Amino acid sequence: MSSRANGAEEAKDVLTLYGEPVSSRLLLGTSLYPSPEIMRRSVEASGANILTVSLRRESSRDAGAGSRFWDMVKGFGARILPNTAGCHTPREAITTAQMAREVFETNWVKLEVIANDDTLQPEVFGLAEAAEVLCRDGFQVFPYCTEDLSVAERLLRAGCQVLMPWAAPIGTGRGLMNPYALRSLRAYFPDTPLIVDAGIGAPSHAAEAMEIGFDGILLNTAVAKAHDSVAMAAAFAKAIEAGRLAYRAGIMPPRDMASPSTPVAGLAFLDASRAS
Amino acid sequence: MKITVNGETRITEAKCLEELCHELGFADVKIATARNGDFVPAKSRAAVPLADGDAIEVLSPRQGG
């Protein structure tokens, strides 16, 4: 394929989230970086144009800290996806989402309702309840969910148009713990944008998710806590792009028996003892 | 009147959430507010009176994953 044709082909492969085209399939968090400057360079290296942020208590002792952070993030020119991290009940998550909508001036919300502080696993009943309320209230909800098919169905019925199942618990970097279930989700919901959120540690994990047909990857810790965050952001960008290209190209199915790639026909007989 | 702001006890004479935000030095910064677990939009802060025992949350943008 010529480079022009290749470019045209890539141009057609645009991810759309709630009606908005997204140029990068890597969504990046803004937490845990060694410094604001390293975060800025990491964002740039990743090519991400969706960044996640949160709300936390403002202090009179440092009034304006939130505004300063917000001014910096706005400077990146990315779309903002506020989260409800740390919320354990639908009520907490709904109130946090409403507060985030006002501050960040967006209907987008990464909805997190957490069940357990050790695993940070989604509390899926509360998640579905909060999603129903928020979707009715005009939010465009990106639910952080498990890979459970029935939960996914309920979230879609609630009005979610994107699903964000975990690969593994937040911050563990363990990769795809249940690839079978993730493949099932992909097969059941071929037209729903599916983004793996949480548990990705290495670029190979991200590539694996993309190769099975996921639409994007949401990352934070794996980049922010790398020895060189900027280089790791670039590595993830390449892995995600490679995984996507491979999925679209069609990966060969695995086989049990070896099969020579070099032609067998025309092979010379050089050892008479093999003839028997 | 004794209230809590972001989990800390505070004595205030502020009559409404708007006055409290000024008292806290948050007049010109990007914040969102909640009273007793319910969101209070910026435009409603002046109309929301404070009562003894109220739990006020004042949040602002932060890093997030």
Side-chain angles (χ1 to χ4, degrees):
Chain A
M1 188 184 291
S2 72
S3 61
R4 178 178 294 181
N6 194 32
E9 201 53 33
E10 283 175 16
K12 280 188 246 164
D13 184 33
V14 174
L15 174 62
T16 301
L17 302 173
Y18 285 103
E20 294 207 18
V22 176
S23 62
S24 170
R25 293 172 181 271
L26 194 169
L27 293 71
L28 195 62
T30 57
S31 213
L32 302 173
Y33 293 87
S35 71
E37 174 59 13
I38 290 177
M39 175 174 71
R40 185 192 66 74
R41 290 172 52 211
S42 299
V43 169
E44 192 174 277
S46 74
N49 60 2
I50 297 176
L51 302 177
T52 54
V53 295
S54 74
L55 286 177
R56 287 295 179 263
R57 287 170 164 172
E58 179 80 348
S59 168
S60 290
R61 289 179 287 278
D62 188 18
S67 295
R68 290 192 292 278
F69 170 72
W70 178 224
D71 287 343
M72 180 180 67
V73 171
K74 273 193 296 187
F76 298 157
R79 191 81 163 73
I80 297 300
L81 179 58
N83 70 28
T84 63
C87 292
H88 284 69
T89 67
R91 188 179 186 204
E92 286 178 341
I94 291 164
T95 300
T96 302
Q98 291 167 333
M99 296 170 88
R101 177 160 65 178
E102 181 177 82
V103 165
F104 297 112
E105 299 173 19
T106 177
N107 287 325
W108 281 18
V109 64
K110 178 188 166 187
L111 182 61
E112 296 183 40
V113 182
I114 299 299
N116 180 297
D117 281 332
D118 290 324
T119 63
L120 298 178
Q121 70 186 83
E123 198 283 89
V124 295
F125 307 101
L127 177 71
E129 186 183 330
E132 284 168 13
V133 172
L134 292 171
C135 288
R136 274 201 306 270
D137 192 22
F139 282 88
Q140 294 172 317
V141 177
F142 295 64
Y144 163 60
C145 55
T146 62
E147 65 279 65
D148 188 290
L149 195 58
S150 60
V151 171
E153 285 176 332
R154 190 165 164 201
L155 290 167
L156 294 175
R157 278 203 306 274
C160 297
Q161 295 177 22
V162 177
L163 296 175
M164 300 210 299
W166 64 352
I170 295 171
T172 61
R174 300 180 68 84
L176 277 55
M177 299 296 285
N178 194 348
Y180 165 76
L182 293 172
R183 272 196 295 269
S184 293
L185 274 188
R186 178 71 291 169
Y188 266 83
F189 307 113
D191 301 321
T192 300
L194 299 177
I195 294 167
V196 165
D197 174 16
I200 296 291
S204 56
H205 301 154
E208 183 185 1
M210 297 303 291
E211 285 171 7
I212 63 174
F214 273 70
D215 295 288
I217 305 289
L218 200 163
L219 286 171
N220 192 158
T221 310
V223 170
K225 289 297 192 184
H227 175 66
D228 182 340
S229 298
V230 180
M232 189 59 82
F236 269 106
K238 290 177 189 294
I240 290 167
E241 186 182 354
R244 179 65 186 176
L245 283 170
Y247 170 69
R248 297 189 77 218
I251 296 170
M252 66 166 278
R255 49 200 298 168
D256 290 331
M257 299 299 291
S259 173
S261 48
T262 302
V264 175
L267 181 66
F269 282 95
L270 301 174
D271 185 347
S273 69
R274 287 187 61 216
S276 60
Chain B
M1 158 169 52
K2 189 154 81 174
I3 63 173
T4 62
V5 177
N6 289 346
E8 293 184 3
T9 302
R10 183 179 184 88
I11 307 296
T12 181
E13 297 307 316
K15 299 285 188 297
C16 65
L17 197 47
E18 178 83 2
E19 274 185 41
L20 179 69
C21 289
H22 277 75
E23 185 181 294
L24 292 165
F26 298 155
D28 300 316
V29 298
K30 196 84 169 168
I31 54 166
T33 52
R35 174 175 173 262
N36 300 329
D38 293 324
F39 170 54
V40 178
K43 62 179 186 302
S44 303
R45 285 179 201 144
V48 172
L50 293 181
D52 198 50
D54 272 354
I56 304 299
E57 291 287 336
V58 184
L59 308 185
S60 67
R62 285 293 188 284
Q63 296 84 351

